[in-house]
Amino acid sequence: MLSVKELKLYSQRLTDSEFRKQLGPFVLIQRPPGVAGHDTNKMGVPPNAQRTSMARPEVVSTGALSLLFQFDDLMVATVPPMQDVDELSVGRSPDNDLVIDDASASKRHAKLRWDDANKRCTIQDLQSTNGTFLNASVRLRRETTLKNGDILSFGEVQYWFLLTDTLYVKLRGGDSRARL
């Protein structure tokens, strides 16, 4: 995982295409592990061995808002590079592409699908216990196309979905609001 502060340094040294090549077409930005509202796995049991705990709606709402106001303190989740049409699995089980170490996430929670030809990403909940939410309000019932700047909630854990080009502009001090 890289911090937003570390990525700022890289963005000053790399061109936009080099930056995109390193990170892929999009990034998932999150609060650092251990920050309140991020890590509810306090039992000392491996996350894949636990039962899924119920998500608290107030944690989901508060967590989504905090992503927007604490940008410099956030981390970029490490995911495998995506090309052409590619999928990422999301969940608590260690064999997912994006592992969520939180008891409110299901073992197999959701999948993200990148379509390079159309430059779009979709998300689909995999009948998770606590659901996958978009922008802290819409529970996903079917595959949904993501928009640049959407907040994804897997149980009580939130990620900010940003296209890499938008992140690059934001890190270099440009006004990304016009692009979100």
Side-chain angles (χ1 to χ4, degrees), residues 6-17:
E6 290 170 316
L7 281 178
K8 277 185 181 182
L9 296 173
Y10 290 124
S11 73
Q12 301 303 318
R13 296 185 204 144
L14 300 174
T15 65
D16 58 346
S17 61

Side-chain angles (χ1 to χ4, degrees), residues 30-116:
Q30 68 185 98
R31 286 185 309 280
V35 170
H38 178 276
D39 184 21
T40 59
N41 184 4
K42 296 176 176 54
M43 293 187 255
V45 178
N48 59 332
Q50 285 183 314
R51 300 183 120 226
T52 304
S53 67
M54 294 308 293
R56 298 162 292 177
E58 67 277 5
V59 172
V60 174
S61 299
T62 304
L65 283 174
S66 72
L67 285 176
L68 301 175
F69 296 109
Q70 299 171 346
F71 184 70
D72 286 339
D73 298 324
L74 301 176
M75 304 293 287
V76 177
T78 305
V79 295
M82 299 186 81
Q83 300 171 6
D84 302 326
V85 175
D86 209 350
E87 285 186 1
L88 290 176
S89 59
V90 178
R92 201 173 68 235
S93 181
D95 60 342
N96 283 295
D97 297 306
L98 176 60
V99 177
I100 300 175
D101 184 16
D102 190 282
S104 68
S106 293
K107 290 180 182 179
R108 297 267 179 242
H109 200 100
K111 68 178 173 182
L112 291 163
R113 181 177 294 129
W114 175 255
D115 178 353
D116 198 52

